[in-house]
């Protein structure tokens, strides 16, 4: 891993956050809204890594923008959600491993869309070329189209590489934001609770204000559906793997087996949640978004929607001749999702979780 | 157009009046002179209101009985208050938590650095602008019509009876759009006149040119002037206001809370001639915060300079502008435009007069000066550890107290002592009834909410009769 002296290279986005935080720190009216402001109050100066930490602690609920007496057109021009969103996207690139992948965050939407389109096309082409043409339109059996061992050979590296890349990125992020002597499981527990409940995506109790100064809870609900839907889908795949290797019980599985019991509600959650987020975000106040559009958020949500939709389609249409093509589209989407995971919006959850752990740790030490 | 109740202003008092009147069935028009982004007058800069309560409620600690509230008010005003209205305000303040919560306002524990207010003041979650947003949402849902960029340019008042008004829409752009409106009652909740420098000069002379206005530039007193001209009785003196010493680099208007400086007790304050002029360590800062505006206003060029050293730089709330910094007193003096030799002499005299003691910024410690005039009674430590820091101070006017006299119904009292049937007032424009001088943190909002509510209810009752 290369060693870069990041603190000495404060970016414009970091400087802007530091500027705004020094105003917020003298005001503190937003203290009760979320974690960002209590974390800010523990600091008097804001170095680059501090700002990256605060940026990833922010859930972009928007409340502090509408509540701010210094928001534009005030000459102090405080717009914390936007400044932190801009820095957040920038920080993903800063901590990405390997470093040469960082530029793909610049025009992330295009990159993810290309990766997904190519993956799907390759799977269709691959199936058409390598499997028995009859199997492609034969219904029911996935492994007739792509043998199980071939699936594992393709997906194991596609899954393992992102895990390594993300883990290394996370370590860089964690180290640069400072040492945490005496970190305990209590901080992890607190952070897990805060993340699982999206505690800070609610404007301090009033609800998000991402469309206007009228708070609502839709964004939080759709996010919950998406996140828990995703976890259920993951549980579905994991249980399938266990059944295959440990129980020696190969697919196809009946509707009452764990892969289906997890997978169907998971897919539904993913589809409704992601579609909801896409619908909701259309009316999002543009002032809360980064001025520089990378398409990162939209690309990620659309990928999740595609994951859920193609998975469900496969479940319902597997007994039809469409199965082979659907399987190719679904596997292509999954493949693209995996390989782009470390270089897109997926990482927001991990950095935010890391920031929540640090926050729980810091608050416990500051206010024992 | 014809309305039941016309309200001038768009802050806490105006909105409380609008909501109260609308919920009692009145058709309400609010004329807010500011554009939507600047709506709400000084409420946007507030953070809490002081409320009496008989027991804590989980966010507000401990009891704050009306009697204690009254003692506090009497102490700061030195008795310059209308006791009947003061008692009414404090009694009714007990209802404000529930009333505001019903309108969608949320509260939070007292903010970091304001623990001294945790018992007496209810802090708005997200601050005053958040509170305002909740009031506007509720008012809109109750059918109140709000016009922004619209000022009340003329009032049609005959013998203390309100008949109608001329509104000017888009008045900041050359040719305003005029509209005559009639209404059966009028609520004046348009704030004080602190943003009207010419008016301030009538009371303060040319010194007012150097005042900074901490809040909205829209409180120019237009409605107040019209009411006084129409024969409404004046209350309070024009030079009475909530004036604090703020960072001299603050914007002329709307600097708000971030321009305050809490470092005075830890250093010495010099005027433009490099001389000290008041006991910086007389008492804890929250208790002296509100006298330093007037102290600085009385100095040449209305400026002060706080000098502190490295020992004290982290003892107070961070401020929005970084201090001037230097390794020697002379260099620092040069940077802030003071005579280096004179500054050195003042610092030396102060340092020599400091009696050794146990410094404790949380108590009235025994660090004081001996044989120095003026003395520094507490927290006096020699300024001898570089780097040295300086902040400049200017008077920051929060709001003025002179206004219209009202009775317990929030009805305006005319010069001849008669009471208008349909002219009401709430907020800063009548705060002088309760606050003749001095200041108590959060009481401006208390007066605004209490009288806003009364004005709205009485106006609606008058209209329905």
């Amino acid at each position: 891993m290369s060693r870069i002296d990041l603190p000495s290279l404060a970016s414009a986005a970091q400087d802007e956050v530091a500027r705004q935080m020094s105003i917020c720190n003298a005001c503190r009216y937003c203290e009760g809204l979320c974690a960002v402001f209590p974390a800010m109050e523990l600091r008097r100066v804001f170095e680059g890594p501090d700002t990256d930490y605060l940026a990833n602690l922010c859930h972009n609920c928007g409340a502090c923008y509408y509540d701010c007496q210094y928001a534009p057109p005030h000459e102090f021009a405080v717009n914390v959600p936007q400044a932190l969103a801009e820095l957040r996207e920038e920080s993903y690139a800063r901590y990405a491993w390997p470093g040469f992948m960082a530029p793909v965050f610049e025009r992330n939407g295009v990159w993810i869309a290309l990766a997904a389109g190519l993956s799907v096309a390759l799977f269709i082409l691959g199936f058409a070329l390598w499997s028995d043409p009859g199997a492609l339109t034969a219904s029911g059996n996935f492994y007739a189209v792509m043998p199980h061992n071939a699936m594992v050979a393709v997906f194991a590296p596609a899954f393992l590489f992102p895990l390594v890349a993300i883990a290394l990125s996370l370590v860089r992020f964690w180290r640069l934001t400072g040492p945490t002597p005496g970190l305990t499981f209590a901080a992890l527990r607190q952070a897990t609770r805060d993340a699982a409940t999206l505690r800070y995506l609610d404007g301090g109790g009033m609800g998000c204000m991402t469309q206007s100064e009228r708070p609502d809870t839709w964004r939080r609900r759709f996010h919950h559906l998406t996140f828990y839907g995703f976890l259920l889908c993951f549980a579905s795949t994991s249980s399938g793997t266990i059944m295959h290797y440990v129980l020696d019980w190969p697919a196809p599985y009946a509707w009452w087996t764990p892969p289906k019991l997890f997978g169907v509600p998971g897919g539904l959650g993913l589809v409704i949640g992601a579609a909801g987020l896409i619908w909701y975000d259309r009316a999002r106040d543009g002032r809360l978004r980064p001025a520089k559009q990378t398409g990162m958020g939209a690309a990620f949500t659309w990928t999740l929607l595609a994951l859920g939709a193609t998975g469900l389609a496969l479940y319902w249409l597997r007994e039809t001749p469409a199965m082979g093509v659907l399987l190719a589209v679904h596997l292509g989407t999954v493949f693209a999702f995996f390989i782009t995971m470390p270089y897109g919006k997926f990482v927001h959850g991990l950095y935010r979780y890391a920031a929540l752990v640090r926050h729980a740790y810091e608050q416990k030490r500051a206010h024992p | 157009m014809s309305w039941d109740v016309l309200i001038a202003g768009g802050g806490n008092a105006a909105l409380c009046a609008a909501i109260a009147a609308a919920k009692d069935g009145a058709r309400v028009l609010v004329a807010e002179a500011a554009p939507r982004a600047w709506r709400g007058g000084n409420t946007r800069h507030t953070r809490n209101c002081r409320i009496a309560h008989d027991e804590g409620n989980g966010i507000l600690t401990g009891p704050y009985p009306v009697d204690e509230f009254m003692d506090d008010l009497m102490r700061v005003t030195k008795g310059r208050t209308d006791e009947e209205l003061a008692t009414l305000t404090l009694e009714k303040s007990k209802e404000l938590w529930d009333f505001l919560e019903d309108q969608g306002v949320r509260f939070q524990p007292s903010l970091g650095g304001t623990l001294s207010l945790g018992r007496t003041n209810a802090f708005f979650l997200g601050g005053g602008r958040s509170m305002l947003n909740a009031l506007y949402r509720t008012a809109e849902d109750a059918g109140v019509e709000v016009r922004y960029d619209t000022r009340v340019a003329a009032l049609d008042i005959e013998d203390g009876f309100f008949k109608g008004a001329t509104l000017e829409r888009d008045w900041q752009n050359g040719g305003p759009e005029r509209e005559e409106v009639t209404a059966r009652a009028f609520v004046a909740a348009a704030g004080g006149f602190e943003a009207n420098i010419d008016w301030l000069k009538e009371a303060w002379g040319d010194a007012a040119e150097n005042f900074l206005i901490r809040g909205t530039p829209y409180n120019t007193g237009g409605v107040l002037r019209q009411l006084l001209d129409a024969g409404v009785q004046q209350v309070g003196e024009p030079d009475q206001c909530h004036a604090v010493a703020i960072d001299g680099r603050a914007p002329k208007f709307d600097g708000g809370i971030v321009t305050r400086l809490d470092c005075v007790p830890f250093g010495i304050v010099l005027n433009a001639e490099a001389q000290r002029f008041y006991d910086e360590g007389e008492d804890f800062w929250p208790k002296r915060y509100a006298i330093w505006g007037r102290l600085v206003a009385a100095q040449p060029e209305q400026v002060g300079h706080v000098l502190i050293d490295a020992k004290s730089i982290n003892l107070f709330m961070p401020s929005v502008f970084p201090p001037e910094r230097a390794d020697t007193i002379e260099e620092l003096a040069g940077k802030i435009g003071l005579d280096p030799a004179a500054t050195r002499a003042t610092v030396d005299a102060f340092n020599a007069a400091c009696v050794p003691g146990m410094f404790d910024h949380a108590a009235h410690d025994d660090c004081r000066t001996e044989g120095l005039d003026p003395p520094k009674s507490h927290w006096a430590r020699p300024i001898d550890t570089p780097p040295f820091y300086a902040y400049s101070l200017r008077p920051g006017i929060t709001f003025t107290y002179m206004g219209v006299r009202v009775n317990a119904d929030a009805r305006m009292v005319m010069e001849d002592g008669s009471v208008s049937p349909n002219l009401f007032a709430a907020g800063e424009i009548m705060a002088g009834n309760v606050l003749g001088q001095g200041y108590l943190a959060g009481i401006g909002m208390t007066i605004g909410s209490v009288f806003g509510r009364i004005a709205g209810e009485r106006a609606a009752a008058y209209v329905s009769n």
Side-chain angles (χ1 to χ4, degrees):
Chain A
M1 210 188 320
S2 61
R3 283 189 58 83
I4 306 167
D5 186 15
L6 288 176
S8 66
L9 301 169
S11 71
Q14 288 176 327
D15 283 344
E16 174 59 10
V17 167
R19 179 191 77 83
Q20 295 196 18
M21 285 293 118
S22 61
I23 296 170
C24 295
N25 212 6
C27 170
R28 303 191 171 185
Y29 286 11
C30 290
E31 189 177 279
L33 293 183
C34 71
V36 170
F37 300 99
M40 165 197 81
E41 288 179 17
L42 298 179
R43 293 158 169 80
R44 278 182 98 97
V45 288
F46 302 93
E47 307 279 2
D50 295 313
T51 59
D52 284 355
Y53 158 59
L54 294 174
N56 281 283
L57 199 51
C58 166
H59 289 51
N60 206 342
C61 81
C64 65
Y65 169 74
Y66 290 105
D67 291 352
C68 183
Q69 58 189 314
Y70 301 114
H74 193 284
E75 62 193 273
F76 287 174
V78 174
N79 182 344
V80 172
Q82 186 184 48
L84 292 183
E86 250 163 51
L87 179 54
R88 197 159 49 242
E89 296 207 347
E90 184 186 289
S91 74
Y92 300 154
R94 187 156 27 249
Y95 299 102
W97 182 92
F100 65 77
M101 286 300 285
V104 302
F105 282 96
E106 278 284 314
R107 296 182 66 207
N108 198 259
V110 176
W111 187 74
I112 303 267
L114 272 178
L118 266 176
S119 304
V120 170
L122 280 175
F123 268 84
I124 294 178
L125 190 69
F127 283 10
L129 288 178
W130 298 109
S131 70
D132 169 12
L136 200 56
T137 51
S139 58
N141 189 358
F142 298 157
Y143 300 140
V145 184
M146 187 176 191
H148 187 270
N149 287 344
M151 275 196 201
V152 171
V154 169
F155 280 93
F159 180 63
L160 290 176
F161 171 75
L163 282 189
V164 172
I166 285 173
L168 290 176
S169 306
L170 208 49
V171 167
R172 298 174 74 168
F173 175 69
W174 183 258
R175 286 198 179 148
L176 274 164
T177 43
T180 46
L183 180 69
T184 63
F185 273 108
L188 286 172
R189 253 199 320 275
Q190 179 68 49
T192 306
R193 209 162 31 231
D194 295 345
T197 58
L198 289 177
R199 176 176 173 189
Y200 298 116
L201 194 60
D202 77 339
M206 278 189 270
C208 294
M209 295 184 214
T210 50
Q211 293 188 340
S212 73
E213 71 253 328
R214 279 185 184 264
D216 67 66
T217 55
W218 286 107
R219 198 175 158 71
R220 190 179 188 198
R221 288 187 206 179
F222 288 133
H223 191 291
H224 272 318
L225 278 172
T226 312
F227 176 67
Y228 288 103
F230 179 80
L231 283 189
L232 284 172
C233 288
F234 191 72
S236 163
T237 309
S238 307
S239 61
T241 309
I242 292 169
M243 287 168 74
H244 187 91
Y245 287 106
V246 181
L247 304 177
D248 199 19
W249 179 0
Y253 300 116
W255 67 267
W256 49 268
T257 56
K260 294 288 155 56
L261 287 180
F262 290 135
V264 174
L268 285 173
L270 208 47
V271 167
I272 299 169
L277 285 174
I278 290 164
W279 167 76
Y280 183 85
D281 276 1
R282 285 169 49 150
R284 192 130 194 240
D285 188 333
R287 291 168 296 190
L288 304 178
R289 297 180 201 269
K292 195 175 68 183
Q293 294 289 327
T294 61
M296 189 184 294
F300 181 58
T301 330
W302 278 103
T303 312
L304 291 173
L305 178 61
L307 273 185
T310 56
L312 286 177
L314 202 52
Y315 173 72
W316 277 306
L317 301 175
R318 58 179 292 179
E319 303 296 341
T320 74
M323 185 276 281
V325 174
L326 275 177
L327 183 64
V329 173
H330 182 61
L331 292 183
T333 312
V334 174
F335 184 81
F337 176 75
F338 280 151
I339 60 163
T340 59
M341 221 158 67
Y343 312 111
K345 184 71 185 287
F346 178 84
V347 297
H348 82 282
L350 297 159
Y351 288 139
R352 185 162 292 143
Y353 180 74
L356 284 169
V357 174
R358 180 174 295 279
H359 176 64
Y361 164 82
E362 279 185 355
Q363 292 298 317
K364 188 82 188 149
R365 280 175 88 87
H367 314 285
Chain B
M1 274 294 279
S2 176
W3 300 84
D4 290 335
V5 181
L6 170 67
I7 299 177
N12 166 44
L15 272 286
C16 285
I19 290 168
K23 289 196 170 171
D24 285 350
R27 289 181 313 118
V28 181
L29 176 67
V30 169
E32 162 60 301
R36 192 179 190 284
W38 296 102
R39 71 184 182 183
N42 285 335
T43 305
R44 51 185 278 119
H45 291 298
T46 65
R47 57 184 184 185
N48 60 41
C49 64
R50 184 174 287 253
I51 58 175
H53 51 283
D54 295 327
E55 52 192 68
N57 64 7
I59 292 184
L60 273 177
T61 60
Y64 186 49
V66 169
D67 290 349
E68 187 188 348
F69 196 162
M70 185 58 88
D71 289 346
D72 287 341
L73 181 65
M74 285 301 172
R75 183 170 41 77
V76 299
T77 60
K78 300 189 166 65
R80 285 174 69 171
T81 181
D82 177 323
E83 274 196 57
E84 184 203 349
L85 296 185
T87 307
L88 172 75
T89 306
L90 308 196
E91 281 290 347
K92 295 276 282 183
S93 78
K94 289 164 94 171
E95 301 165 16
L96 283 185
W97 182 288
D98 290 338
F99 171 75
L100 291 173
E101 203 161 58
D102 286 347
Q103 317 315 324
V105 177
R106 297 283 171 268
F107 297 98
Q108 65 184 351
S110 68
L111 303 174
T114 62
L115 286 181
S116 56
L117 298 173
R119 184 171 63 91
T120 54
N121 288 40
F123 282 72
F124 311 126
L125 177 64
R129 193 165 180 222
S130 178
M131 182 254 196
L132 258 181
N133 288 342
L135 295 182
Y136 271 98
R137 287 196 295 271
T138 307
E140 284 162 6
D141 292 347
V144 171
E145 181 161 333
V146 181
R147 301 230 184 115
Y148 298 106
D149 269 319
T150 301
R151 70 171 177 184
V152 175
L155 290 169
D156 184 3
I157 296 170
E158 211 173 276
D159 297 330
F161 185 81
F162 172 76
K163 291 158 68 179
T166 306
L167 304 186
E168 279 183 359
R169 193 171 206 154
D170 222 11
W171 59 276
Q172 293 188 94
N173 304 325
E177 221 178 282
R178 286 203 174 78
E179 188 191 354
E180 307 292 328
V181 295
T182 57
R184 297 172 62 198
F186 176 69
V187 179
F193 61 92
E194 63 276 358
N196 187 332
I197 304 293
D198 288 336
W199 201 341
L200 288 178
K201 280 165 78 173
E202 288 175 22
W204 290 88
D206 287 339
E209 293 280 3
N210 288 326
F211 291 178
L212 299 174
I213 313 305
R214 300 180 73 210
T216 178
Y218 292 95
N219 281 2
T220 50
V223 172
L224 174 59
R225 177 62 80 195
Q226 292 172 56
L227 289 169
L228 296 177
D229 289 348
V232 180
Q233 202 179 122
Q234 175 184 319
V235 70
E237 298 305 319
D239 69 336
Q240 287 302 328
C241 55
H242 178 27
V244 300
I246 62 170
D247 195 305
R249 297 162 294 180
K252 183 75 180 172
F253 295 102
D254 255 324
I257 190 79
V258 299
T259 59
R260 66 144 158 27
L261 283 172
D262 297 345
C263 54
V264 167
F266 304 115
I268 54 173
V269 181
L270 275 54
N271 64 15
E273 284 147 10
Q275 301 303 312
R276 289 176 62 248
F277 52 90
Y278 197 81
D279 181 352
E280 301 91 348
E282 188 177 50
D283 207 335
F284 289 114
W285 186 235
K287 294 194 176 174
R288 285 295 168 270
Y289 186 48
I291 68 169
W292 276 82
R294 304 184 88 81
L295 289 172
V296 174
Q299 295 304 309
E301 299 166 45
Q302 292 71 51
V303 68
H305 300 277
V306 198
L307 268 53
I308 58 174
D309 69 3
K311 294 194 294 291
S312 305
I313 189 71
N314 287 327
L315 292 179
F316 50 93
M317 277 275 285
S319 64
V320 69
F321 302 108
E324 289 290 350
R325 176 190 152 129
D327 290 326
T328 65
I329 293 290
E330 287 81 355
E331 188 193 345
L332 189 66
K335 280 187 169 176
I336 56 178
L338 293 186
D339 179 63
T343 307
R344 176 85 256 173
T346 301
V347 171
D348 284 347
F350 169 77
N351 288 354
C354 286
V355 175
M358 281 291 292
F359 177 79
D360 181 356
H361 67 86
H364 288 119
D365 69 2
D366 59 354
C367 292
R368 58 186 172 80
T369 57
E370 226 169 56
L372 191 67
D373 184 42
K376 186 174 176 189
S377 312
H378 305 285
W379 311 296
R381 292 189 293 181
I383 295 172
D384 56 8
T385 313
F388 302 100
Y389 300 92
Y391 289 96
S392 70
L393 296 173
R394 291 232 179 245
I397 313 298
T398 309
F399 69 96
T400 48
Y401 297 168
M402 187 189 81
V404 292
R405 184 174 294 286
V406 296
N407 70 4
D409 284 338
R411 283 189 160 87
M412 292 185 208
V413 178
M414 308 305 290
E415 274 169 348
D416 62 7
S418 64
V419 174
S420 166
N422 66 348
L423 282 171
F424 300 86
E428 282 177 20
I429 202 166
M430 50 65 64
N433 288 274
V434 178
L435 211 49
Q437 70 173 45
Y439 187 67
L440 208 50
I443 199 172
M445 290 295 278
T446 310
I447 297 169
S449 292
V450 165
F451 275 90
R453 236 183 121 190
I454 295 174
E457 286 167 1
R458 298 293 186 275
Y462 170 79
V463 163
S464 69
N465 277 336

